[in-house]
Amino acid sequence: RAGRATPEKGFPTVVYSGALLTHGRWYFEVTIVSTSYRATQIGWADLQFVASSFKGNGVGDDPHSWAMDGDRSCLWCVGSKAWGERWKPGDVVGCCLDLDNRLMRFSLNGSFEPPFGTAFERVPFSGGLYPATSFSPGVSLTFNMGELPFAHPPPAGHAPVASFRQQP
């Protein structure tokens, strides 16, 4: 459910494990409450993803997870590539997953226009995907899977991740 997270040490990962998404189009938002501009990797992870706070391995650091990092303006999946722009406190990151077309898109403050938009295509995943985030001390984030009204409307055809949990 919606909530705030602020790590005190390491590089912890939080996963919304109640929703293993295997098909359809999904959306969630993360609000940047504060940042240390060190590392915040927001995105998706599959069933084979293994994080290690001790080793600094988070979302996007292996082939089973994909992330946008607005602290360092890049995308992560095994390695990094320059993408997007730096976020600041108050910014809202929109995370879109289209499993039918295997696409991941990110927005900043409701805009999918460049330098945002489609980040990953032809995503190969194992079993399904969960929303996931890894972040450094000094970062505070608020997660909204759709239990509360979104700051920005999801793209047409995308459902709140929280609605998956409500399905029988």
Side-chain angles (χ1 to χ4, degrees), residues 5-132:
T6 307
E8 294 182 10
K9 61 182 178 178
F11 189 55
T13 296
V14 295
V15 176
Y16 192 71
S17 61
L20 177 62
L21 307 169
T22 59
H23 64 281
R25 295 178 178 164
W26 303 96
Y27 181 79
F28 73 96
E29 290 180 340
V30 178
T31 301
I32 311 302
V33 177
S34 64
T35 183
S36 62
Y37 292 111
R38 289 173 50 201
T40 304
Q41 295 168 206
I42 299 171
W44 307 91
D46 74 15
L47 288 173
Q48 293 185 22
F49 169 66
V50 178
S52 172
S53 179
F54 178 73
K55 292 180 181 177
N57 292 332
V59 178
D61 292 329
D62 77 357
H64 299 284
S65 58
W66 303 261
M68 172 196 166
D69 180 342
D71 283 337
R72 297 173 285 181
S73 303
C74 61
L75 295 175
W76 290 93
C77 182
V78 182
S80 67
K81 107 176 175 181
W83 193 85
E85 62 187 35
R86 194 175 227 196
W87 53 44
K88 62 189 179 311
D91 283 346
V92 178
V93 178
C95 303
C96 291
L97 176 63
D98 180 343
L99 285 165
D100 301 329
N101 294 299
R102 296 189 177 242
L103 294 172
M104 292 178 184
R105 300 184 326 144
F106 296 96
S107 67
L108 188 67
N109 299 321
S111 175
F112 287 93
E113 297 299 316
F116 297 96
T118 301
F120 299 100
E121 300 177 283
R122 296 177 297 282
V123 176
F125 63 90
S126 176
L129 294 167
Y130 297 111

